Structures are given as structure tokens and as C-alpha cells.
Amino acid sequence: MPEDRINKVSCSNYRCEIEITLEIISGKWNALILWTLGKEGKKRFGELKKSISGITQKMLTQQLKSLEKYDIITRVAYDVSPPIVEYSLTEKGLRLMPILEEMDIWGKEYIKDHK
Amino acid sequence: MPEDRINKVSCSNYRCEIEITLEIISGKWNALILWTLGKEGKKRFGELKKSISGITQKMLTQQLKSLEKYDIITRVAYDVSPPIVEYSLTEKGLRLMPILEEMDIWGKEYIKDHK
DNA sequence: CTGAATCCCAAATGATACTG
DNA sequence: CAGTATCATTTGGGATTCAG
């Protein structure tokens, strides 16, 4: 375990701040979840699951939890039966959107050039 | 296809173009490699290895290859002994820099808010 | 409806030794 | 110097089942 090799935000020991951002939005579904919440606004768990084709319940739960920990999304649970849980972007999450927009644009151009 | 990944962009269907961009710049060292090349310009293999603390030869080779396949960096090898190999950003790679800049800014703010 | 708990496999990364 | 090759380990993610 040679030296400075800790990626965790909580440890503040990283090689550059890009990695923090990357750590938060990478993962197979995170960007898509953020993109969906950013474009369509507040959504319930089941709605998200329907919007994001192919995702399993486990992965959705897992990545939502991760995003919530990072304070990128907010989870609001209404104590009713059957339960209602709504997710939305936080202030930090909203400030992530311009980056996703640019990544979207870059990706579109990249595809265009490769045809 | 472990390790030496094929260029999936040409054959995969994506759910959104953000994922293409993410596929290219994620991976444990890719962003750092791009950032270094973007900030410091053309670099030799060994210089990169020294600049990026903690990376192994294998990972550097591997991710450089991946980035080259994606046409994000250019590899120029001079046939001398001992060999000289220089890496630099392509046009596409350069157009990735603004995104990395924004991720850097976002990350710095994120850290600041979490202290 | 939302989500926790397991089990399992594939993929990513790391350690180390070797080479033209 | 700039890589390969091989093996070991860690991590990420999918399928399935259970639960409040």
C-alpha cells in the first residue's frame, strides 16, 4: 500500500479534485439518475426505475444511497402505506448539471465524428 | 474482454451520450493522465509515470492505450535506443479539458462546503 | 411500494518479474 | 526506457429472495 492512495472524500486525501467529482458521478447508473432528476425534476423511486431502462432495484437503491450520502440528492419518505419516497437534486446536485450538459454535448460530437 | 478493452463506442448503444464521455474519462487514472497532459503538454512515458504518483507501469500503459484508441491522445515513438515515446492530447482530447476544468472547480467547492 | 440481504460472476486494478 | 506477461486481489454489478 504505497503512500497517498486514498480516494475517499471524507479523508480529503486525493490527487486532484476532479477525482472527487468523478467518484460521485461515475458508477454505472449515477450519471443517468442525475440526468433524469435534472431534466424531469422530483421523482418517486418507482418512477425513476421506470425512467431508467434496465436498472435493477438493487442498483437503483444502492446508487441513490450513495448520491444521498454525497449530498447530491435529497430523499423524502412519506410514512404511509404503501410507502412513498421522492428523490430530487440538492443545490450541489443542480450545480453538477452544467457539467453533465457539456459531457452530453461532447459525447454527441464524438459520435458524430466517428461515423 | 478484460484489461485490453476494445473500443466499445463503435458497437454499443448508449442510453445517453454522457456515458460515452464518462466511459472515456473514468477509470482510475484516465482523468489524471488527461489533466496532466492538458496542463503540462506533451510528455514522455517516464515523465508521466513520475508526474502521476502511485500509478504502476501496467496501469499507465493500459490506460494510455485506451485513450489512444479513443483518439483522445496521440502516441509518437522514436525508434532509438533507449526508446523515446511521447504522448499528447489530440483535438478531441483538448476539447475535453473545459469539462475537466469544471469538474475541478466543482470538486474544490464541494470540498470547501464539506469542511 | 420501497428496499434490505445473499450469492455469484465479470471486470478493474495491483504486485511482480521479464524484455527488446 | 517503455513496455509485456502472469497471477492475485478487490470491486462492481446482476439475479434472486425476503420484508415492513
Side-chain angles (χ1 to χ4, degrees), chain A residues 3-5 7 9 12 14-22 24-29 31-32 35 53 69-72 92-93 95-96 98-104 106-111 113-114, chain B residues 7 9 14-22 24-29 31-32 35 52-54 69-72 92-93 95-96 98-111 113-115:
Chain A
E3 63 208 290
D4 51 347
R5 255 262 36 241
N7 269 351
V9 170
S12 307
Y14 41 85
R15 296 159 301 206
C16 90
E17 285 83 356
I18 293 174
E19 299 189 294
I20 298 162
T21 313
L22 218 40
I24 291 174
I25 69 175
S26 65
K28 186 161 178 184
W29 306 96
L32 214 44
W35 191 245
S53 155
K69 256 189 195 167
Y70 283 124
D71 193 27
I72 303 301
K92 285 185 183 56
R95 283 194 286 102
L96 222 32
I99 297 179
L100 296 179
E101 299 273 5
E102 283 200 52
M103 292 178 65
D104 186 53
W106 192 94
K108 281 177 169 41
E109 291 224 1
Y110 183 85
I111 290 296
D113 289 354
H114 276 64
Chain B
N7 189 328
V9 169
Y14 288 87
R15 295 160 299 209
C16 85
E17 284 82 357
I18 294 173
E19 299 190 293
I20 298 164
T21 313
L22 263 181
I24 292 174
I25 69 175
S26 66
K28 187 160 177 183
W29 306 95
L32 216 42
W35 191 243
I52 302 174
S53 155
K69 260 189 192 165
Y70 282 125
D71 192 27
I72 303 301
K92 284 185 183 57
R95 284 196 286 101
L96 223 32
I99 296 179
L100 295 180
E101 297 274 5
E102 282 199 51
M103 292 178 64
D104 185 53
I105 294 170
W106 191 95
K108 281 177 168 43
E109 292 226 359
Y110 182 86
I111 291 296
D113 289 355
H114 276 62
K115 276 186 177 169

Side-chain angles (χ1 to χ4, degrees), chain A residues 72-94:
Chain A
I72 303 301
I73 64 174
T74 303
R75 176 183 186 274
V76 177
Y78 299 92
D79 196 10
V80 294
S81 180
I84 293 179
V85 182
E86 289 177 338
Y87 293 92
S88 55
L89 295 182
T90 60
E91 171 63 24
K92 285 185 183 56
L94 282 171

Side-chain angles (χ1 to χ4, degrees), chain A residues 32-34 36-37 41-53 55 60 64 73 86-88:
Chain A
L32 214 44
I33 292 171
L34 294 177
T36 304
L37 287 178
K42 182 169 63 180
K43 273 192 174 292
R44 292 183 58 177
F45 183 87
E47 293 174 331
L48 270 176
K49 182 151 167 27
K50 234 185 297 180
S51 291
I52 302 174
S53 155
I55 195 170
L60 183 53
L64 284 171
I73 64 174
E86 289 177 338
Y87 293 92
S88 55

